[in-house]
Amino acid sequence: MLKRTELLLTHYDQIICPHQIALPAAGVDNPYQVYVLPLAYEQIGLLYAVLGLSACHLGIKKEDLYLRETLAVEYRVRAIRCLGETLRNGVSSELDENERDGIFITIQILLLQDIFESGISTHGVHITGALSICNQFRLFDTLSRENERTIFFLGNLAWLDIIRSLADPQRLCFSPEVREAVATLSDLKFERVNGCPREMFLIIGNVMEHAKAHATGKIETPEYERLLNACRYQFYSWRLKADRYPNDDLRWSVVAEAFRHACILHTSRLLDATQPAEAQIIQSSVTAILDSLAQIPADCHLIELVVMPLFMAGADALSPYARHYVLLRFDHVRAHGGVGNHMSISLLKSVWDSRDRQPEDDNSNIPWVWFTRNSGSERQHDYLII
């Protein structure tokens, strides 16, 4: 077991970690290697999560069913049990900084394993547990730049929270105060991990906050439309500042542009889900995303950051060549990172097939979110489009 543990930890350190953050510059530390592995030696639940993720990834690469479907699942179950116990302890007694950070990164790694396996998370409820820890200790009131590790973990979790809310705004969990603290206190590692610039992260967070409020009846439709139109205007007028480049690679501006139009596209769909895909405002954003992605070569490390914009463009791609290009770019992501995006591609093909079956005189929209709902089931899992 010790030999197997060493093998899996080495795989996480040398194979998985380099793909979790875009760090092409020599001499720049990888925070996942710096922060996660030392914590994993101290927090048994985090250790199980890391081993489960590594077993899953290695099992996919080697086509080893035992690693992927038996060992990875066993470690994940152990990690979830430990996480639940830690969360319960956090309710009754104060957690120290290592325990708190261990919770945040364990949840992120569990979600990442879900992404590796299917892209559908059955454990998104644990984000709610993380939020309870934030609220209990008023975390967003006490954070400072000295809490660099906490801010890094919390920022990535806050972005995952937005990603899972794309299919259902009511799943948005973190508050605007948490997102504001993350955006203010984070450094450029946030962009290196998630791709989306922090200013844009705040705007799309507000979009989803308004969508959640509207879905739960807290704001009326006219006010909702006014707020979303204001956010969409912010996206249209936003430009990447020179000091916001993680390094001197000018293709970071291309990544930012892809995210900008992906956010515009999603905001437009929230404003009017019935708008035909042929509408000019929709196709303008689709074209802008695909044109931006065309400037990122297949072997460029940045290709792994743009799955969300790629999916958003694909959901409204109409022509056969545009759809083929989207699938080609997903192949590039898989080849670079070693993990496919089966769920994203499955959702896109469901949308495309349904549109192709429409009568010629019917151009009504077919939203991709239709295919995330489980008919006849009260439980809906989280779809992680990243």
PDB file of all heavy atoms in Angstrom, residues 228-263:
ATOM      1  N   LEU A 228     -29.752  42.696 -15.602  1.00  0.00           N
ATOM      2  CA  LEU A 228     -28.966  41.883 -16.532  1.00  0.00           C
ATOM      3  C   LEU A 228     -28.494  42.690 -17.732  1.00  0.00           C
ATOM      4  O   LEU A 228     -27.371  42.482 -18.223  1.00  0.00           O
ATOM      5  CB  LEU A 228     -29.767  40.656 -16.991  1.00  0.00           C
ATOM      6  CG  LEU A 228     -29.335  39.340 -16.320  1.00  0.00           C
ATOM      7  CD1 LEU A 228     -29.501  39.429 -14.807  1.00  0.00           C
ATOM      8  CD2 LEU A 228     -30.113  38.150 -16.874  1.00  0.00           C
ATOM      9  N   ASN A 229     -29.321  43.596 -18.204  1.00  0.00           N
ATOM     10  CA  ASN A 229     -28.880  44.454 -19.305  1.00  0.00           C
ATOM     11  C   ASN A 229     -27.713  45.340 -18.876  1.00  0.00           C
ATOM     12  O   ASN A 229     -26.787  45.584 -19.659  1.00  0.00           O
ATOM     13  CB  ASN A 229     -30.046  45.313 -19.803  1.00  0.00           C
ATOM     14  CG  ASN A 229     -30.898  44.586 -20.826  1.00  0.00           C
ATOM     15  OD1 ASN A 229     -30.374  44.018 -21.783  1.00  0.00           O
ATOM     16  ND2 ASN A 229     -32.210  44.597 -20.633  1.00  0.00           N
ATOM     17  N   ALA A 230     -27.720  45.795 -17.624  1.00  0.00           N
ATOM     18  CA  ALA A 230     -26.606  46.594 -17.104  1.00  0.00           C
ATOM     19  C   ALA A 230     -25.329  45.757 -17.048  1.00  0.00           C
ATOM     20  O   ALA A 230     -24.241  46.241 -17.390  1.00  0.00           O
ATOM     21  CB  ALA A 230     -26.960  47.146 -15.727  1.00  0.00           C
ATOM     22  N   CYS A 231     -25.449  44.507 -16.621  1.00  0.00           N
ATOM     23  CA  CYS A 231     -24.283  43.610 -16.572  1.00  0.00           C
ATOM     24  C   CYS A 231     -23.769  43.322 -17.974  1.00  0.00           C
ATOM     25  O   CYS A 231     -22.550  43.291 -18.211  1.00  0.00           O
ATOM     26  CB  CYS A 231     -24.660  42.312 -15.876  1.00  0.00           C
ATOM     27  SG  CYS A 231     -24.945  42.450 -14.095  1.00  0.00           S
ATOM     28  N   ARG A 232     -24.704  43.114 -18.910  1.00  0.00           N
ATOM     29  CA  ARG A 232     -24.278  42.829 -20.285  1.00  0.00           C
ATOM     30  C   ARG A 232     -23.533  44.025 -20.867  1.00  0.00           C
ATOM     31  O   ARG A 232     -22.542  43.857 -21.602  1.00  0.00           O
ATOM     32  CB  ARG A 232     -25.482  42.456 -21.140  1.00  0.00           C
ATOM     33  CG  ARG A 232     -25.097  41.986 -22.539  1.00  0.00           C
ATOM     34  CD  ARG A 232     -26.227  41.257 -23.246  1.00  0.00           C
ATOM     35  NE  ARG A 232     -27.400  42.097 -23.417  1.00  0.00           N
ATOM     36  CZ  ARG A 232     -28.495  41.709 -24.078  1.00  0.00           C
ATOM     37  NH1 ARG A 232     -28.545  40.488 -24.610  1.00  0.00           N
ATOM     38  NH2 ARG A 232     -29.536  42.505 -24.195  1.00  0.00           N
ATOM     39  N   TYR A 233     -23.984  45.229 -20.534  1.00  0.00           N
ATOM     40  CA  TYR A 233     -23.264  46.423 -20.992  1.00  0.00           C
ATOM     41  C   TYR A 233     -21.849  46.460 -20.406  1.00  0.00           C
ATOM     42  O   TYR A 233     -20.897  46.853 -21.098  1.00  0.00           O
ATOM     43  CB  TYR A 233     -24.032  47.683 -20.593  1.00  0.00           C
ATOM     44  CG  TYR A 233     -23.300  48.956 -20.945  1.00  0.00           C
ATOM     45  CD1 TYR A 233     -23.295  49.446 -22.249  1.00  0.00           C
ATOM     46  CD2 TYR A 233     -22.583  49.654 -19.966  1.00  0.00           C
ATOM     47  CE1 TYR A 233     -22.606  50.601 -22.568  1.00  0.00           C
ATOM     48  CE2 TYR A 233     -21.895  50.810 -20.282  1.00  0.00           C
ATOM     49  CZ  TYR A 233     -21.906  51.280 -21.582  1.00  0.00           C
ATOM     50  OH  TYR A 233     -21.204  52.418 -21.903  1.00  0.00           O
ATOM     51  N   GLN A 234     -21.705  46.031 -19.147  1.00  0.00           N
ATOM     52  CA  GLN A 234     -20.375  45.980 -18.540  1.00  0.00           C
ATOM     53  C   GLN A 234     -19.463  45.010 -19.283  1.00  0.00           C
ATOM     54  O   GLN A 234     -18.271  45.286 -19.474  1.00  0.00           O
ATOM     55  CB  GLN A 234     -20.490  45.551 -17.070  1.00  0.00           C
ATOM     56  CG  GLN A 234     -21.050  46.602 -16.140  1.00  0.00           C
ATOM     57  CD  GLN A 234     -21.095  46.105 -14.704  1.00  0.00           C
ATOM     58  OE1 GLN A 234     -21.954  45.303 -14.333  1.00  0.00           O
ATOM     59  NE2 GLN A 234     -20.164  46.570 -13.890  1.00  0.00           N
ATOM     60  N   PHE A 235     -20.018  43.886 -19.711  1.00  0.00           N
ATOM     61  CA  PHE A 235     -19.222  42.930 -20.489  1.00  0.00           C
ATOM     62  C   PHE A 235     -18.802  43.543 -21.829  1.00  0.00           C
ATOM     63  O   PHE A 235     -17.651  43.404 -22.256  1.00  0.00           O
ATOM     64  CB  PHE A 235     -20.015  41.648 -20.743  1.00  0.00           C
ATOM     65  CG  PHE A 235     -20.154  40.746 -19.548  1.00  0.00           C
ATOM     66  CD1 PHE A 235     -21.390  40.248 -19.178  1.00  0.00           C
ATOM     67  CD2 PHE A 235     -19.047  40.380 -18.801  1.00  0.00           C
ATOM     68  CE1 PHE A 235     -21.531  39.402 -18.080  1.00  0.00           C
ATOM     69  CE2 PHE A 235     -19.162  39.547 -17.708  1.00  0.00           C
ATOM     70  CZ  PHE A 235     -20.413  39.057 -17.344  1.00  0.00           C
ATOM     71  N   TYR A 236     -19.736  44.204 -22.489  1.00  0.00           N
ATOM     72  CA  TYR A 236     -19.419  44.786 -23.790  1.00  0.00           C
ATOM     73  C   TYR A 236     -18.338  45.855 -23.678  1.00  0.00           C
ATOM     74  O   TYR A 236     -17.488  46.001 -24.566  1.00  0.00           O
ATOM     75  CB  TYR A 236     -20.682  45.392 -24.418  1.00  0.00           C
ATOM     76  CG  TYR A 236     -21.509  44.400 -25.204  1.00  0.00           C
ATOM     77  CD1 TYR A 236     -22.826  44.117 -24.842  1.00  0.00           C
ATOM     78  CD2 TYR A 236     -20.984  43.756 -26.327  1.00  0.00           C
ATOM     79  CE1 TYR A 236     -23.596  43.215 -25.562  1.00  0.00           C
ATOM     80  CE2 TYR A 236     -21.746  42.845 -27.049  1.00  0.00           C
ATOM     81  CZ  TYR A 236     -23.048  42.585 -26.665  1.00  0.00           C
ATOM     82  OH  TYR A 236     -23.794  41.675 -27.390  1.00  0.00           O
ATOM     83  N   SER A 237     -18.348  46.613 -22.608  1.00  0.00           N
ATOM     84  CA  SER A 237     -17.400  47.724 -22.458  1.00  0.00           C
ATOM     85  C   SER A 237     -16.099  47.312 -21.783  1.00  0.00           C
ATOM     86  O   SER A 237     -15.142  48.101 -21.737  1.00  0.00           O
ATOM     87  CB  SER A 237     -18.052  48.859 -21.657  1.00  0.00           C
ATOM     88  OG  SER A 237     -18.445  48.407 -20.369  1.00  0.00           O
ATOM     89  N   TRP A 238     -16.015  46.077 -21.260  1.00  0.00           N
ATOM     90  CA  TRP A 238     -14.831  45.644 -20.508  1.00  0.00           C
ATOM     91  C   TRP A 238     -13.657  45.378 -21.455  1.00  0.00           C
ATOM     92  O   TRP A 238     -13.826  44.803 -22.532  1.00  0.00           O
ATOM     93  CB  TRP A 238     -15.148  44.382 -19.720  1.00  0.00           C
ATOM     94  CG  TRP A 238     -14.021  43.921 -18.837  1.00  0.00           C
ATOM     95  CD1 TRP A 238     -13.769  44.275 -17.554  1.00  0.00           C
ATOM     96  CD2 TRP A 238     -12.968  43.001 -19.202  1.00  0.00           C
ATOM     97  NE1 TRP A 238     -12.645  43.645 -17.086  1.00  0.00           N
ATOM     98  CE2 TRP A 238     -12.130  42.865 -18.069  1.00  0.00           C
ATOM     99  CE3 TRP A 238     -12.665  42.294 -20.364  1.00  0.00           C
ATOM    100  CZ2 TRP A 238     -11.014  42.034 -18.074  1.00  0.00           C
ATOM    101  CZ3 TRP A 238     -11.540  41.476 -20.370  1.00  0.00           C
ATOM    102  CH2 TRP A 238     -10.733  41.357 -19.233  1.00  0.00           C
ATOM    103  N   ARG A 239     -12.464  45.772 -21.023  1.00  0.00           N
ATOM    104  CA  ARG A 239     -11.239  45.475 -21.772  1.00  0.00           C
ATOM    105  C   ARG A 239     -10.156  45.044 -20.794  1.00  0.00           C
ATOM    106  O   ARG A 239     -10.064  45.569 -19.681  1.00  0.00           O
ATOM    107  CB  ARG A 239     -10.763  46.699 -22.561  1.00  0.00           C
ATOM    108  CG  ARG A 239     -11.701  47.120 -23.701  1.00  0.00           C
ATOM    109  CD  ARG A 239     -11.773  46.052 -24.779  1.00  0.00           C
ATOM    110  NE  ARG A 239     -12.638  46.474 -25.884  1.00  0.00           N
ATOM    111  CZ  ARG A 239     -13.949  46.263 -25.932  1.00  0.00           C
ATOM    112  NH1 ARG A 239     -14.561  45.659 -24.914  1.00  0.00           N
ATOM    113  NH2 ARG A 239     -14.652  46.665 -26.969  1.00  0.00           N
ATOM    114  N   LEU A 240      -9.318  44.119 -21.220  1.00  0.00           N
ATOM    115  CA  LEU A 240      -8.242  43.607 -20.367  1.00  0.00           C
ATOM    116  C   LEU A 240      -7.145  44.652 -20.221  1.00  0.00           C
ATOM    117  O   LEU A 240      -6.644  45.187 -21.209  1.00  0.00           O
ATOM    118  CB  LEU A 240      -7.654  42.323 -20.963  1.00  0.00           C
ATOM    119  CG  LEU A 240      -6.572  41.623 -20.151  1.00  0.00           C
ATOM    120  CD1 LEU A 240      -7.127  41.104 -18.839  1.00  0.00           C
ATOM    121  CD2 LEU A 240      -5.955  40.469 -20.951  1.00  0.00           C
ATOM    122  N   LYS A 241      -6.787  44.955 -18.980  1.00  0.00           N
ATOM    123  CA  LYS A 241      -5.732  45.923 -18.717  1.00  0.00           C
ATOM    124  C   LYS A 241      -4.367  45.264 -18.850  1.00  0.00           C
ATOM    125  O   LYS A 241      -4.210  44.070 -18.607  1.00  0.00           O
ATOM    126  CB  LYS A 241      -5.903  46.509 -17.312  1.00  0.00           C
ATOM    127  CG  LYS A 241      -7.213  47.274 -17.126  1.00  0.00           C
ATOM    128  CD  LYS A 241      -7.353  47.752 -15.685  1.00  0.00           C
ATOM    129  CE  LYS A 241      -8.690  48.459 -15.491  1.00  0.00           C
ATOM    130  NZ  LYS A 241      -8.883  48.886 -14.082  1.00  0.00           N
ATOM    131  N   ALA A 242      -3.384  46.065 -19.214  1.00  0.00           N
ATOM    132  CA  ALA A 242      -2.045  45.527 -19.471  1.00  0.00           C
ATOM    133  C   ALA A 242      -1.452  44.847 -18.244  1.00  0.00           C
ATOM    134  O   ALA A 242      -0.737  43.847 -18.350  1.00  0.00           O
ATOM    135  CB  ALA A 242      -1.120  46.645 -19.950  1.00  0.00           C
ATOM    136  N   ASP A 243      -1.749  45.362 -17.035  1.00  0.00           N
ATOM    137  CA  ASP A 243      -1.157  44.790 -15.830  1.00  0.00           C
ATOM    138  C   ASP A 243      -1.902  43.551 -15.352  1.00  0.00           C
ATOM    139  O   ASP A 243      -1.580  42.997 -14.301  1.00  0.00           O
ATOM    140  CB  ASP A 243      -1.098  45.825 -14.707  1.00  0.00           C
ATOM    141  CG  ASP A 243      -2.486  46.324 -14.302  1.00  0.00           C
ATOM    142  OD1 ASP A 243      -3.454  46.041 -15.022  1.00  0.00           O
ATOM    143  OD2 ASP A 243      -2.581  46.998 -13.261  1.00  0.00           O
ATOM    144  N   ARG A 244      -2.908  43.121 -16.102  1.00  0.00           N
ATOM    145  CA  ARG A 244      -3.662  41.930 -15.725  1.00  0.00           C
ATOM    146  C   ARG A 244      -3.210  40.696 -16.500  1.00  0.00           C
ATOM    147  O   ARG A 244      -3.830  39.657 -16.427  1.00  0.00           O
ATOM    148  CB  ARG A 244      -5.164  42.159 -15.957  1.00  0.00           C
ATOM    149  CG  ARG A 244      -5.791  43.119 -14.958  1.00  0.00           C
ATOM    150  CD  ARG A 244      -5.646  42.624 -13.543  1.00  0.00           C
ATOM    151  NE  ARG A 244      -6.350  43.474 -12.588  1.00  0.00           N
ATOM    152  CZ  ARG A 244      -6.287  43.319 -11.283  1.00  0.00           C
ATOM    153  NH1 ARG A 244      -5.534  42.367 -10.770  1.00  0.00           N
ATOM    154  NH2 ARG A 244      -6.948  44.123 -10.470  1.00  0.00           N
ATOM    155  N   TYR A 245      -2.140  40.804 -17.253  1.00  0.00           N
ATOM    156  CA  TYR A 245      -1.595  39.636 -17.930  1.00  0.00           C
ATOM    157  C   TYR A 245      -0.794  38.805 -16.929  1.00  0.00           C
ATOM    158  O   TYR A 245       0.112  39.331 -16.269  1.00  0.00           O
ATOM    159  CB  TYR A 245      -0.664  40.053 -19.062  1.00  0.00           C
ATOM    160  CG  TYR A 245      -1.345  40.579 -20.293  1.00  0.00           C
ATOM    161  CD1 TYR A 245      -1.839  41.879 -20.338  1.00  0.00           C
ATOM    162  CD2 TYR A 245      -1.491  39.785 -21.424  1.00  0.00           C
ATOM    163  CE1 TYR A 245      -2.456  42.379 -21.472  1.00  0.00           C
ATOM    164  CE2 TYR A 245      -2.107  40.268 -22.561  1.00  0.00           C
ATOM    165  CZ  TYR A 245      -2.587  41.562 -22.581  1.00  0.00           C
ATOM    166  OH  TYR A 245      -3.205  42.042 -23.704  1.00  0.00           O
ATOM    167  N   PRO A 246      -1.084  37.510 -16.790  1.00  0.00           N
ATOM    168  CA  PRO A 246      -0.270  36.680 -15.886  1.00  0.00           C
ATOM    169  C   PRO A 246       1.193  36.613 -16.301  1.00  0.00           C
ATOM    170  O   PRO A 246       2.065  36.421 -15.474  1.00  0.00           O
ATOM    171  CB  PRO A 246      -0.943  35.304 -16.007  1.00  0.00           C
ATOM    172  CG  PRO A 246      -2.363  35.620 -16.345  1.00  0.00           C
ATOM    173  CD  PRO A 246      -2.283  36.805 -17.267  1.00  0.00           C
ATOM    174  N   ASN A 247       1.463  36.765 -17.607  1.00  0.00           N
ATOM    175  CA  ASN A 247       2.849  36.856 -18.081  1.00  0.00           C
ATOM    176  C   ASN A 247       2.824  37.591 -19.416  1.00  0.00           C
ATOM    177  O   ASN A 247       1.817  38.177 -19.792  1.00  0.00           O
ATOM    178  CB  ASN A 247       3.499  35.458 -18.193  1.00  0.00           C
ATOM    179  CG  ASN A 247       2.685  34.513 -19.068  1.00  0.00           C
ATOM    180  OD1 ASN A 247       2.106  34.921 -20.078  1.00  0.00           O
ATOM    181  ND2 ASN A 247       2.627  33.259 -18.681  1.00  0.00           N
ATOM    182  N   ASP A 248       3.932  37.575 -20.135  1.00  0.00           N
ATOM    183  CA  ASP A 248       4.016  38.366 -21.362  1.00  0.00           C
ATOM    184  C   ASP A 248       3.460  37.652 -22.584  1.00  0.00           C
ATOM    185  O   ASP A 248       3.631  38.141 -23.712  1.00  0.00           O
ATOM    186  CB  ASP A 248       5.474  38.788 -21.609  1.00  0.00           C
ATOM    187  CG  ASP A 248       6.411  37.594 -21.724  1.00  0.00           C
ATOM    188  OD1 ASP A 248       5.932  36.450 -21.624  1.00  0.00           O
ATOM    189  OD2 ASP A 248       7.622  37.819 -21.889  1.00  0.00           O
ATOM    190  N   ASP A 249       2.782  36.512 -22.407  1.00  0.00           N
ATOM    191  CA  ASP A 249       2.147  35.826 -23.523  1.00  0.00           C
ATOM    192  C   ASP A 249       0.890  36.608 -23.927  1.00  0.00           C
ATOM    193  O   ASP A 249      -0.083  36.677 -23.186  1.00  0.00           O
ATOM    194  CB  ASP A 249       1.764  34.397 -23.114  1.00  0.00           C
ATOM    195  CG  ASP A 249       1.317  33.546 -24.298  1.00  0.00           C
ATOM    196  OD1 ASP A 249       0.885  34.122 -25.318  1.00  0.00           O
ATOM    197  OD2 ASP A 249       1.396  32.310 -24.199  1.00  0.00           O
ATOM    198  N   LEU A 250       0.917  37.187 -25.117  1.00  0.00           N
ATOM    199  CA  LEU A 250      -0.196  38.027 -25.562  1.00  0.00           C
ATOM    200  C   LEU A 250      -1.481  37.237 -25.782  1.00  0.00           C
ATOM    201  O   LEU A 250      -2.566  37.827 -25.916  1.00  0.00           O
ATOM    202  CB  LEU A 250       0.192  38.754 -26.854  1.00  0.00           C
ATOM    203  CG  LEU A 250       1.354  39.738 -26.734  1.00  0.00           C
ATOM    204  CD1 LEU A 250       1.642  40.389 -28.081  1.00  0.00           C
ATOM    205  CD2 LEU A 250       1.055  40.807 -25.683  1.00  0.00           C
ATOM    206  N   ARG A 251      -1.375  35.910 -25.792  1.00  0.00           N
ATOM    207  CA  ARG A 251      -2.592  35.110 -25.994  1.00  0.00           C
ATOM    208  C   ARG A 251      -3.499  35.115 -24.766  1.00  0.00           C
ATOM    209  O   ARG A 251      -4.633  34.659 -24.836  1.00  0.00           O
ATOM    210  CB  ARG A 251      -2.214  33.679 -26.385  1.00  0.00           C
ATOM    211  CG  ARG A 251      -1.743  33.571 -27.832  1.00  0.00           C
ATOM    212  CD  ARG A 251      -1.202  32.218 -28.181  1.00  0.00           C
ATOM    213  NE  ARG A 251       0.038  31.931 -27.476  1.00  0.00           N
ATOM    214  CZ  ARG A 251       0.906  30.981 -27.848  1.00  0.00           C
ATOM    215  NH1 ARG A 251       0.664  30.240 -28.915  1.00  0.00           N
ATOM    216  NH2 ARG A 251       1.999  30.781 -27.165  1.00  0.00           N
ATOM    217  N   TRP A 252      -3.027  35.679 -23.653  1.00  0.00           N
ATOM    218  CA  TRP A 252      -3.923  35.840 -22.509  1.00  0.00           C
ATOM    219  C   TRP A 252      -5.083  36.765 -22.861  1.00  0.00           C
ATOM    220  O   TRP A 252      -6.199  36.603 -22.354  1.00  0.00           O
ATOM    221  CB  TRP A 252      -3.161  36.398 -21.302  1.00  0.00           C
ATOM    222  CG  TRP A 252      -2.403  35.346 -20.554  1.00  0.00           C
ATOM    223  CD1 TRP A 252      -1.052  35.134 -20.588  1.00  0.00           C
ATOM    224  CD2 TRP A 252      -2.936  34.350 -19.678  1.00  0.00           C
ATOM    225  NE1 TRP A 252      -0.716  34.056 -19.784  1.00  0.00           N
ATOM    226  CE2 TRP A 252      -1.856  33.562 -19.211  1.00  0.00           C
ATOM    227  CE3 TRP A 252      -4.219  34.044 -19.238  1.00  0.00           C
ATOM    228  CZ2 TRP A 252      -2.024  32.508 -18.324  1.00  0.00           C
ATOM    229  CZ3 TRP A 252      -4.390  32.984 -18.358  1.00  0.00           C
ATOM    230  CH2 TRP A 252      -3.304  32.237 -17.906  1.00  0.00           C
ATOM    231  N   SER A 253      -4.832  37.746 -23.710  1.00  0.00           N
ATOM    232  CA  SER A 253      -5.928  38.631 -24.131  1.00  0.00           C
ATOM    233  C   SER A 253      -6.953  37.865 -24.943  1.00  0.00           C
ATOM    234  O   SER A 253      -8.152  38.187 -24.915  1.00  0.00           O
ATOM    235  CB  SER A 253      -5.366  39.816 -24.937  1.00  0.00           C
ATOM    236  OG  SER A 253      -4.752  39.365 -26.139  1.00  0.00           O
ATOM    237  N   VAL A 254      -6.509  36.847 -25.671  1.00  0.00           N
ATOM    238  CA  VAL A 254      -7.422  36.001 -26.441  1.00  0.00           C
ATOM    239  C   VAL A 254      -8.306  35.187 -25.499  1.00  0.00           C
ATOM    240  O   VAL A 254      -9.518  35.039 -25.713  1.00  0.00           O
ATOM    241  CB  VAL A 254      -6.620  35.069 -27.377  1.00  0.00           C
ATOM    242  CG1 VAL A 254      -7.543  34.092 -28.084  1.00  0.00           C
ATOM    243  CG2 VAL A 254      -5.823  35.884 -28.388  1.00  0.00           C
ATOM    244  N   VAL A 255      -7.701  34.656 -24.428  1.00  0.00           N
ATOM    245  CA  VAL A 255      -8.465  33.914 -23.425  1.00  0.00           C
ATOM    246  C   VAL A 255      -9.520  34.822 -22.799  1.00  0.00           C
ATOM    247  O   VAL A 255     -10.695  34.433 -22.646  1.00  0.00           O
ATOM    248  CB  VAL A 255      -7.519  33.351 -22.335  1.00  0.00           C
ATOM    249  CG1 VAL A 255      -8.320  32.752 -21.191  1.00  0.00           C
ATOM    250  CG2 VAL A 255      -6.578  32.316 -22.936  1.00  0.00           C
ATOM    251  N   ALA A 256      -9.114  36.041 -22.439  1.00  0.00           N
ATOM    252  CA  ALA A 256     -10.054  36.983 -21.831  1.00  0.00           C
ATOM    253  C   ALA A 256     -11.201  37.308 -22.777  1.00  0.00           C
ATOM    254  O   ALA A 256     -12.368  37.405 -22.362  1.00  0.00           O
ATOM    255  CB  ALA A 256      -9.319  38.263 -21.430  1.00  0.00           C
ATOM    256  N   GLU A 257     -10.894  37.480 -24.060  1.00  0.00           N
ATOM    257  CA  GLU A 257     -11.937  37.788 -25.033  1.00  0.00           C
ATOM    258  C   GLU A 257     -12.925  36.632 -25.179  1.00  0.00           C
ATOM    259  O   GLU A 257     -14.140  36.854 -25.301  1.00  0.00           O
ATOM    260  CB  GLU A 257     -11.292  38.108 -26.390  1.00  0.00           C
ATOM    261  CG  GLU A 257     -12.243  38.581 -27.458  1.00  0.00           C
ATOM    262  CD  GLU A 257     -12.800  39.977 -27.186  1.00  0.00           C
ATOM    263  OE1 GLU A 257     -12.428  40.606 -26.173  1.00  0.00           O
ATOM    264  OE2 GLU A 257     -13.622  40.438 -27.996  1.00  0.00           O
ATOM    265  N   ALA A 258     -12.420  35.400 -25.151  1.00  0.00           N
ATOM    266  CA  ALA A 258     -13.312  34.242 -25.231  1.00  0.00           C
ATOM    267  C   ALA A 258     -14.250  34.193 -24.033  1.00  0.00           C
ATOM    268  O   ALA A 258     -15.456  33.937 -24.180  1.00  0.00           O
ATOM    269  CB  ALA A 258     -12.486  32.957 -25.324  1.00  0.00           C
ATOM    270  N   PHE A 259     -13.729  34.451 -22.840  1.00  0.00           N
ATOM    271  CA  PHE A 259     -14.572  34.463 -21.644  1.00  0.00           C
ATOM    272  C   PHE A 259     -15.569  35.627 -21.691  1.00  0.00           C
ATOM    273  O   PHE A 259     -16.721  35.485 -21.257  1.00  0.00           O
ATOM    274  CB  PHE A 259     -13.712  34.551 -20.384  1.00  0.00           C
ATOM    275  CG  PHE A 259     -13.271  33.207 -19.873  1.00  0.00           C
ATOM    276  CD1 PHE A 259     -12.018  32.706 -20.187  1.00  0.00           C
ATOM    277  CD2 PHE A 259     -14.105  32.439 -19.084  1.00  0.00           C
ATOM    278  CE1 PHE A 259     -11.612  31.468 -19.734  1.00  0.00           C
ATOM    279  CE2 PHE A 259     -13.713  31.196 -18.617  1.00  0.00           C
ATOM    280  CZ  PHE A 259     -12.465  30.706 -18.935  1.00  0.00           C
ATOM    281  N   ARG A 260     -15.136  36.770 -22.205  1.00  0.00           N
ATOM    282  CA  ARG A 260     -16.026  37.925 -22.264  1.00  0.00           C
ATOM    283  C   ARG A 260     -17.267  37.598 -23.093  1.00  0.00           C
ATOM    284  O   ARG A 260     -18.404  37.852 -22.666  1.00  0.00           O
ATOM    285  CB  ARG A 260     -15.288  39.139 -22.848  1.00  0.00           C
ATOM    286  CG  ARG A 260     -16.103  40.420 -22.843  1.00  0.00           C
ATOM    287  CD  ARG A 260     -15.214  41.609 -23.167  1.00  0.00           C
ATOM    288  NE  ARG A 260     -14.893  41.668 -24.579  1.00  0.00           N
ATOM    289  CZ  ARG A 260     -15.592  42.384 -25.481  1.00  0.00           C
ATOM    290  NH1 ARG A 260     -16.651  43.075 -25.091  1.00  0.00           N
ATOM    291  NH2 ARG A 260     -15.218  42.416 -26.738  1.00  0.00           N
ATOM    292  N   HIS A 261     -17.062  37.029 -24.254  1.00  0.00           N
ATOM    293  CA  HIS A 261     -18.205  36.728 -25.112  1.00  0.00           C
ATOM    294  C   HIS A 261     -18.992  35.514 -24.616  1.00  0.00           C
ATOM    295  O   HIS A 261     -20.206  35.428 -24.862  1.00  0.00           O
ATOM    296  CB  HIS A 261     -17.749  36.541 -26.553  1.00  0.00           C
ATOM    297  CG  HIS A 261     -17.590  37.841 -27.278  1.00  0.00           C
ATOM    298  ND1 HIS A 261     -18.662  38.533 -27.798  1.00  0.00           N
ATOM    299  CD2 HIS A 261     -16.494  38.598 -27.518  1.00  0.00           C
ATOM    300  CE1 HIS A 261     -18.231  39.650 -28.347  1.00  0.00           C
ATOM    301  NE2 HIS A 261     -16.923  39.720 -28.199  1.00  0.00           N
ATOM    302  N   ALA A 262     -18.331  34.600 -23.907  1.00  0.00           N
ATOM    303  CA  ALA A 262     -19.085  33.497 -23.294  1.00  0.00           C
ATOM    304  C   ALA A 262     -20.037  34.042 -22.233  1.00  0.00           C
ATOM    305  O   ALA A 262     -21.192  33.588 -22.123  1.00  0.00           O
ATOM    306  CB  ALA A 262     -18.124  32.485 -22.675  1.00  0.00           C
ATOM    307  N   CYS A 263     -19.580  35.036 -21.474  1.00  0.00           N
ATOM    308  CA  CYS A 263     -20.436  35.657 -20.454  1.00  0.00           C
ATOM    309  C   CYS A 263     -21.555  36.465 -21.098  1.00  0.00           C
ATOM    310  O   CYS A 263     -22.699  36.458 -20.614  1.00  0.00           O
ATOM    311  CB  CYS A 263     -19.598  36.539 -19.537  1.00  0.00           C
ATOM    312  SG  CYS A 263     -18.433  35.634 -18.488  1.00  0.00           S
TER     313      CYS A 263
END
